[in-house]
Amino acid sequence: MAKTYYIGIDGGGTKTKFDLFDSDKNSIASITMPTIHPAQTSFKEAVSVLTDTKEKLLEKINDSDYILKVGAGLGGYGINADYRKKLEDEFGTVFDEFKLCSDAYAALLGALAGEDGILMIAGTGSIALAKIGDKTFRCGGFGYRYGDEGSAYSIGKALISRALKEADGRLDKSVISDIVEDYFDNISFNMIATSDFSRDKIAGLAAAASKYLDISESVRDIFFAAANEISLHIKAIGKNFEGLKKIKAGYIGGVFKSEYIIKCIKEMNPDIELVAPIYPPEKGSILQV
């Protein structure tokens, strides 16, 4: 009887992770390749990456007779129907049996091993997702201009805003001024205020400031506010789980590297079981096939 093998794909905006799994869904081999997101590259190049990686992974299979199933979580997959159809057509030129979903949904499946619950993502951006049977829900994820509350970007932006207020005397000086000034290589606050930094650059300020949580009330206040925003996501999407006493909520993203953030969220949500992700998104993607 032919064995079944799986390829799980986590296609983000900067890179694509591929993992080959055996029939018991244990990882055999993994490869990281350039992004296949068509907003960052061409469909032709995406097909080339998929084809080359498939060949490399299949070399790890010793069986001559097998079935290959592919699951992929892709950034931007939910943009519109025409876009999804184009992605499905391109995948169809490389794989016979496959299932596509958004990268966020693959992360949700992986984090909770396919079980019902919530996934809170708080990295450069932020969004909450939930799964109840075949139904899915989302909260937040409206982007950095008007949303992404609780994200590393929002923390970085709040730190800069606080430092600028301290610079012109609207607030008393705190260690935040030093953190921001040092992070931006001691350029003037006027330069900081008028520079067009990337989202990743501003988000990185959150990690720099997290080292001062134990000694700075001002830093704690900003991180507490971020934890509260994350909590609002969880509480809002948790309303869909009517009647359940304990809801599992997985979490992914750099913001959760802060033990202070996790501690605050647990205190704000005593009825939520906050859990570290069980599987990565690339394994989550094969739980749908």
Side-chain angles (χ1 to χ4, degrees), residues 170-241:
R170 282 176 284 167
L171 290 173
D172 293 336
K173 190 176 185 301
S174 74
V175 71
I176 289 177
S177 290
D178 298 326
I179 295 169
V180 173
E181 195 171 27
D182 181 64
Y183 183 77
F184 290 108
D185 297 323
N186 296 308
I187 64 175
S188 71
F189 284 110
N190 281 339
M191 282 288 292
I192 292 172
T194 57
S195 295
D196 187 19
F197 298 112
S198 69
R199 288 176 61 214
D200 287 344
K201 180 67 174 177
I202 294 173
L205 185 54
S210 67
K211 301 171 186 175
Y212 296 83
L213 280 165
D214 291 338
I215 62 171
S216 172
E217 183 177 355
S218 298
V219 173
R220 283 197 299 275
D221 287 345
I222 288 174
F223 275 71
F224 181 85
N228 186 60
E229 292 289 353
I230 291 171
S231 179
L232 289 176
H233 283 76
I234 294 171
K235 290 180 185 298
I237 206 165
K239 293 175 183 177
N240 294 291
F241 293 82

Side-chain angles (χ1 to χ4, degrees), residues 62-84:
N62 295 321
D63 297 293
S64 58
D65 184 23
Y66 59 86
I67 298 168
L68 180 67
K69 295 184 178 182
V70 177
L74 304 172
Y77 179 69
I79 291 175
N80 59 54
D82 291 339
Y83 182 85
R84 290 196 299 272

